[in-house]
Amino acid sequence: MGLLSFLAGKSAEDIERAGDKYFNDSEFGAAKIEYDKALNKAERKTPDNLNYLQSLQEKIRKTRDELAKAHQQNGELLMESQNFDEAEDLFRLALELTSNPDLKIEIKAALSRLNALIPSDRPDETLLVPSPVPAAVDVLDSEDEYFAILCNALPEEVKQMYQGYGQTFKQGFIALNNGDFKTAVKRLSDALEEHSSGGLMIALELSTAHMNLGHYDRASELVSQFVQSNPNELRGYQMLCDIYWATGNFDGAVRLIEGSPVQLKETFPLQVLLGETYFQMERYADAKTIFLACQTRYGQNELVSRALAKIFEMMGESDKAKTIYGQILAGCKQCGARTDPFIKRRYAELCFASGERSSRVLELYLSVAQEDPDCRDDCYQRISEIYEALGNVKEARRYQSLS
């Protein structure tokens, strides 16, 4: 398994944390998109981690409810100002979003109140009924809103390009971000035909859809064309390297990076790509050299630190790996960031392997058991052994029975 993943930029946990930040800032539309992306990635990468998938689904449900509440509140304001059509749109979109039965009742009641306010000379076919079936315009409004939020995360130049590609591209891009890769391939292929002379960025998104379907030859063809036409664009190198890694063509990845323009080759992202490639080739010493150089040149960076810790583990230098994991944990405590359970567990495991049986390591395993249910049994076994070493036989037996 590689140190990094560039197929979708970040791990599911990293994407989830971005969603958490948006949720805490009450930016529920952006939060939902991040949670959807995290769930899609987790379903592809760790489909057996059912507890994690369920936790993401629950966050998506809560976010949809919050979005529905916001649409309901805005609909009430529009109704008070007699903007009846716009109020109806928001109420129906809220009904589409939420699965909360109590909230649905509230929204349907608002629709009924709205219906009573409609002027008597309004045509009968336009009168409102408290039905959860969304109108076609609601789907369009929702699609436009979703696409706008997706584009907001892009650089301004790319954002403007995407917004000018038209409805077919919009549908393909949304399908891609929703994990509907077959639809994405169809719609993005159509969009590429519509913009044959200026659709290089469409080709890049289309290649992502092909990659997720395992169509590596077609994806490689599209990305290679992009790199040839845009030799200074980082994203093409990241995606082509990911294809090479997936197909085991590590020498191709090295040649790609070594052949990139000088001003790009020495940048942090491309050096990280090179270090990852060496790691996957099991050239651990070369990977270590690359990441140490990144640390010297660019300063402390958690991505580099995690990579070095994993490399040191693979090289049998456990003490160095443990020191780095400990530094990452200390940094998380200082800034108040959520600590990745993987880091906690690796640090605890290395401490345990070195013979440490302390309350400090015990607390780490208790924390990991709570945060990552899939490794709970292993953690309980470790907890039992630590309690036994500390002389607490009763707790040792209790956790042994739970493992």
Side-chain angles (χ1 to χ4, degrees):
M1 180 180 293
L3 298 169
L4 316 168
S5 174
F6 290 101
L7 184 56
K10 298 179 180 180
S11 68
E13 291 79 7
D14 289 334
I15 300 171
E16 178 194 7
R17 282 192 285 272
D20 291 341
K21 184 178 185 302
Y22 283 127
F23 189 93
N24 293 333
D25 292 339
S26 298
E27 297 182 27
F28 302 119
K32 179 183 177 299
I33 287 174
E34 295 303 313
Y35 290 145
D36 284 338
K37 288 160 62 178
L39 178 61
N40 172 52
K41 185 149 198 176
E43 286 175 337
R44 288 188 287 109
K45 299 294 185 180
T46 56
D48 295 331
N49 193 342
L50 299 182
N51 287 292
Y52 183 55
L53 297 180
Q54 289 171 358
S55 72
L56 287 174
Q57 290 166 349
E58 177 63 14
K59 287 187 175 185
I60 291 170
R61 184 194 65 76
K62 289 180 179 178
T63 306
R64 290 175 67 94
D65 284 348
E66 292 298 331
L67 277 171
K69 290 176 185 177
H71 288 317
Q72 179 192 7
Q73 292 168 2
N74 290 330
E76 297 276 4
L77 294 174
L78 288 169
M79 184 167 62
E80 290 176 7
S81 62
Q82 298 187 352
N83 291 319
F84 300 129
D85 289 337
E86 294 179 23
E88 178 191 4
D89 289 344
L90 287 180
F91 287 144
R92 291 194 182 281
L93 182 55
L95 278 172
E96 183 183 353
L97 282 166
T98 186
S99 59
N100 184 321
D102 293 333
L103 185 54
K104 280 183 175 290
I105 291 172
E106 291 181 20
I107 298 168
K108 289 179 181 180
L111 275 169
S112 294
R113 292 196 305 273
L114 179 58
N115 187 51
L117 294 173
I118 301 299
S120 58
D121 59 350
R122 180 169 174 169
D124 290 343
E125 65 269 15
T126 61
L127 291 178
L128 308 178
V129 292
S131 168
V133 179
V137 69
D138 298 324
V139 177
L140 181 59
D141 289 344
S142 177
E143 185 178 86
D144 287 341
E145 181 182 7
Y146 194 8
F147 182 70
I149 294 172
L150 288 172
C151 288
N152 282 340
L154 301 170
E156 187 61 30
E157 182 181 356
V158 177
K159 175 182 174 180
Q160 292 179 4
M161 292 173 63
Y162 280 24
Q163 290 175 334
Y165 280 146
Q167 188 69 17
T168 305
F169 172 78
K170 180 191 297 183
Q171 293 169 348
F173 190 56
I174 289 173
L176 176 63
N177 281 274
N178 282 338
D180 184 359
F181 302 119
K182 290 183 178 179
T183 299
V185 166
K186 177 64 173 66
R187 304 309 289 154
L188 291 172
S189 295
D190 292 342
L192 188 59
E193 289 186 10
E194 293 173 5
H195 300 272
S196 56
S197 60
L200 280 173
M201 296 304 294
I202 300 176
L204 210 56
E205 300 298 347
L206 176 58
S207 70
T208 301
H210 278 298
M211 288 165 66
N212 280 279
L213 291 172
H215 305 162
Y216 294 113
D217 289 344
R218 178 57 176 152
S220 179
E221 178 185 353
L222 289 164
V223 182
S224 296
Q225 292 172 357
F226 178 87
V227 171
Q228 290 172 8
S229 302
N230 300 269
N232 292 307
E233 286 292 331
L234 171 65
R235 188 179 172 191
Y237 293 91
Q238 291 175 331
M239 294 182 65
L240 200 48
C241 278
D242 205 272
I243 294 170
Y244 286 149
W245 297 338
T247 56
N249 186 8
F250 302 115
D251 290 333
V254 173
R255 287 194 299 270
L256 173 70
I257 296 167
E258 293 295 339
S260 63
V262 176
Q263 68 272 21
L264 186 65
K265 181 167 59 177
E266 297 303 320
T267 61
F268 177 78
L270 245 67
Q271 286 300 297
V272 169
L273 284 173
L274 184 59
E276 160 70 358
T277 301
Y278 284 147
F279 180 86
Q280 294 205 35
M281 297 173 77
E282 299 184 4
R283 291 171 55 177
Y284 301 127
D286 291 330
K288 181 179 76 170
T289 299
I290 292 292
F291 284 111
L292 285 174
C294 285
Q295 195 172 65
T296 300
R297 187 178 304 173
Y298 302 105
Q300 289 291 331
N301 179 291
E302 184 174 331
L303 183 151
V304 172
S305 297
R306 292 169 71 119
L308 283 169
K310 185 65 177 177
I311 290 167
F312 283 132
E313 281 199 75
M314 298 303 294
M315 297 179 72
E317 300 183 52
S318 299
D319 287 342
K320 290 182 179 180
K322 182 175 69 174
T323 298
I324 294 174
Y325 286 133
Q327 291 170 345
I328 295 173
L329 289 175
C332 292
K333 287 183 179 179
Q334 289 176 1
C335 70
R338 175 179 176 269
T339 305
D340 186 344
F342 173 82
I343 300 296
K344 284 185 185 179
R345 188 180 183 191
R346 291 312 311 148
Y347 182 67
E349 287 286 276
L350 292 172
C351 289
F352 189 91
S354 69
E356 182 176 348
R357 304 291 187 273
S358 65
S359 58
R360 181 176 69 99
V361 178
L362 179 67
E363 289 175 2
L364 284 171
Y365 278 118
L366 287 168
S367 177
V368 174
Q370 182 178 8
E371 295 173 5
D372 187 358
D374 285 336
C375 67
R376 184 172 290 164
D377 289 347
D378 292 336
C379 288
Y380 283 166
Q381 180 62 41
R382 293 286 194 235
I383 291 167
S384 173
E385 293 178 44
I386 293 172
Y387 269 128
E388 185 173 1
L390 295 174
N392 191 335
V393 178
K394 180 178 179 181
E395 285 298 285
R397 289 174 178 171
R398 185 167 77 89
Y399 278 97
Q400 179 65 44
S401 67
L402 293 173
S403 64

